[in-house]
Amino acid sequence: MVFEIMEKLIERFLEYIAIDTMSDPKSDTVPSSSIQLPLAKKLKEELEEIGLKATLDDKGYVYATLEANTDKKVPVIGFIAHIDTSPALTGGCKNPKFTEYKGGDIKLNEQYSITEAEFPILKKLVGKTIITTDGTTLLGADDKAGVAEIMNALEYLVKHPEIKHGKVVVGFTPDEEIGRGADHFDVKGFGADFAYTMDGGEIGEFQYENFNAASAVIKVQGKSVHPGSGKDVMINSIYIAMELEQMLPKAQRPEHTQDYEGFFMANEINGTIDYTTVEYLIRDHDKVKFEEKKALMRSAVEYINKKYGNVVTLELNDSYYNMKEIVEPHKEIIDLAVKSMENIGITPLVRAIRGGTDGCQLSYKGLPCPNIFAGGYNFHGRFEMIPVEDMIKASELIVEMVKNAAL
């Protein structure tokens, strides 16, 4: 099975990552960037070539169905991955590098290397074949590895009808990286009883907890006058934004937190003396602490407004919530993933996501949807990498889960 899955898996992956599909957070179109559509069209065509019914809607969502080959009553299982890549760095990785890793640093180019000192996870990957970038783009394993793994598993199931299974549905979404991947997902039309996003990190990861998330936009209206006559008149909006930032706990920044610790993060700032905006991310797994963080942000704004005279406005909106309360009551969904990993020699690593996936929003839309590893590391930048062997295991896992769901 391994060799048959491997045959096309890497070929597919390399084709997908060569297509730039960066999403655009500043756009209000769906998808946010038209460059995502060529890959969506390609996937629809490939699904049809495999023998599945597939559709591509006008918003860039691809859906496909593998019909059941058993009369046994079996739940409809879904698998989901996203086609866009992070706006953090350009995509379109046309010059990936393969390293038969034996230890030490991996040189990407004259300027950049993946070092053991910065990325100690490398020590766990000795003996594997690692795909990296050439240092000029991100790799796109997040989440084109998930896309390739699902595609290969589907083709394997089609070619092996002796594996009895229920109906399997798949969905490929745009705009996940900018938090919109689930916005227009057709949950009802998808028709799954439950699903899994193939969007996790290292081999064995299984996640059904994620952050509660909110976004905050701070707008500071200053008063610009000539600095030579600014005494008691000038209000520098940049300084006020900096003062508000200092009111937030420094220990609750991403660079100082881990595991279940939440954070505030200044994500973008633009400003002049006259007017400054700061965009924040607010995150916490615990709902009570999440609400406390939002309350602290409101209190900081109220204090600044009392001090300077209503110069600050706050736009605070929830983005998504922790899927745990939706998924955890469905123990069979968790057990299926864990048992299937163990069956094929993978040690399950049940962890909370320090982020979010399409699955957390889909869970609240009525589709319980935990997250499974795709095999990659160091997402959203030039140091992204993925072992070939772990991609193979992810694809093998999908087949195992579909088979076990029908037992």
Side-chain angles (χ1 to χ4, degrees):
M1 178 179 179
V2 169
F3 293 107
E4 188 170 351
I5 283 181
M6 184 172 68
E7 184 179 352
K8 282 192 176 179
L9 177 58
I10 304 308
E11 178 185 336
R12 277 195 170 102
F13 178 64
L14 297 181
E15 288 178 357
Y16 300 163
I17 64 174
I19 303 170
D20 189 359
T21 56
M22 181 191 293
S23 47
D24 180 4
K26 301 299 183 183
S27 169
D28 58 4
T29 64
V30 183
S32 65
S33 58
S34 60
I35 59 174
Q36 297 178 65
L37 293 174
L39 179 54
K41 292 174 182 176
K42 178 179 177 62
L43 291 172
K44 177 182 180 293
E45 292 169 0
E46 288 187 15
L47 287 161
E48 290 172 338
E49 290 170 3
I50 291 171
L52 275 65
K53 299 174 184 175
T55 60
L56 167 60
D57 69 16
D58 61 352
K59 293 180 172 60
Y61 290 75
V62 181
Y63 304 99
T65 301
L66 174 63
E67 296 294 345
N69 63 0
T70 177
D71 294 330
K72 187 176 179 180
K73 186 175 176 59
V74 177
V76 179
I77 183 171
F79 294 94
I80 299 167
H82 65 88
I83 63 174
D84 66 314
T85 56
S86 169
L89 188 67
T90 184
C93 181
K94 294 180 171 61
N95 189 31
K97 304 179 71 171
F98 286 73
T99 300
E100 302 292 334
Y101 188 61
K102 299 177 181 178
D105 300 342
I106 299 177
K107 185 176 180 179
L108 304 180
N109 58 32
E110 292 302 319
Q111 185 176 2
Y112 298 109
S113 295
I114 302 175
T115 67
E116 282 189 329
E118 288 183 295
F119 303 103
I121 193 68
L122 278 173
K123 295 173 183 177
K124 295 175 65 175
L125 305 181
V126 173
K128 296 185 177 182
T129 300
I130 301 176
I131 309 175
T132 66
T133 74
D134 65 357
T136 61
T137 68
L138 49 70
L139 182 63
D142 179 15
D143 186 29
K144 291 170 185 174
V147 175
E149 290 154 5
I150 292 170
M151 291 292 291
N152 253 53
L154 288 172
E155 184 169 13
Y156 186 88
L157 289 165
V158 169
K159 289 182 175 179
H160 291 270
E162 72 275 10
I163 299 175
K164 298 304 176 184
H165 58 80
K167 181 186 288 188
V168 180
V169 291
V170 298
F172 299 126
T173 68
D175 294 339
E176 189 271 353
E177 293 292 1
I178 57 174
R180 305 178 199 166
D183 286 1
H184 301 279
F185 193 95
D186 183 6
V187 172
K188 184 177 180 181
F190 193 55
D193 293 303
F194 55 88
Y196 301 88
T197 49
M198 299 296 297
D199 194 19
E202 71 173 293
I203 185 169
E205 270 193 354
F206 178 58
Q207 301 156 317
Y208 57 93
E209 296 181 68
N210 59 274
F211 277 137
N212 295 292
S215 63
V217 180
I218 303 291
K219 299 179 180 180
V220 187
Q221 182 60 63
K223 185 180 292 185
S224 179
V225 297
H226 191 284
S229 56
K231 181 175 171 57
D232 298 328
V233 179
M234 178 186 288
I235 300 176
N236 191 323
S237 72
I238 298 173
Y239 292 156
I240 292 175
M242 292 167 61
E243 183 176 345
L244 192 149
E245 162 61 27
Q246 293 305 308
M247 296 176 66
L248 303 176
K250 295 180 178 62
Q252 292 185 39
R253 294 175 179 172
E255 57 267 38
H256 303 307
T257 59
Q258 62 184 350
D259 300 327
Y260 283 90
E261 297 169 334
F263 60 77
F264 298 89
M265 185 179 81
N267 193 47
E268 184 173 324
I269 183 168
N270 292 283
T272 62
I273 293 171
D274 183 67
Y275 186 72
T276 296
T277 62
V278 189
E279 297 179 10
Y280 279 91
L281 303 181
I282 302 173
R283 302 288 189 264
D284 210 295
H285 290 95
D286 184 276
K287 194 65 178 289
V288 173
K289 292 180 180 178
F290 176 59
E291 295 299 332
E292 289 173 349
K293 283 180 168 58
K294 291 191 293 180
L296 178 57
M297 178 67 78
R298 293 189 190 98
S299 296
V301 170
E302 289 173 6
Y303 172 83
I304 291 291
N305 276 333
K306 287 179 181 178
K307 183 175 181 179
Y308 293 102
N310 296 321
V311 296
V312 179
T313 59
L314 168 64
E315 296 175 3
L316 182 59
N317 296 293
D318 290 353
S319 304
Y320 52 81
Y321 302 108
N322 193 339
M323 73 172 87
K324 180 180 179 180
E325 63 183 80
I326 304 297
V327 176
E328 197 168 47
H330 299 278
K331 190 171 184 297
E332 69 279 5
I333 303 175
I334 299 168
D335 291 346
L336 175 61
V338 170
K339 176 178 172 57
S340 297
M341 286 189 198
E342 293 171 344
N343 285 355
I344 60 172
I346 299 172
T347 300
L349 305 174
V350 181
R351 297 170 173 169
I353 308 170
R354 285 185 58 79
T357 68
D358 282 341
C360 60
Q361 295 186 57
L362 292 172
S363 292
Y364 280 88
K365 289 187 172 188
L367 178 64
C369 192
N371 190 43
I372 292 175
F373 73 92
Y377 300 85
N378 308 337
F379 294 152
H380 295 193
R382 68 184 81 249
F383 304 109
E384 191 179 3
M385 60 182 181
I386 191 165
V388 169
E389 293 82 357
D390 297 353
M391 290 179 67
I392 293 169
K393 273 298 189 184
S395 197
E396 187 180 349
L397 175 62
I398 294 169
V399 174
E400 184 70 14
M401 290 172 68
V402 169
K403 181 173 68 175
N404 288 339
L407 295 179

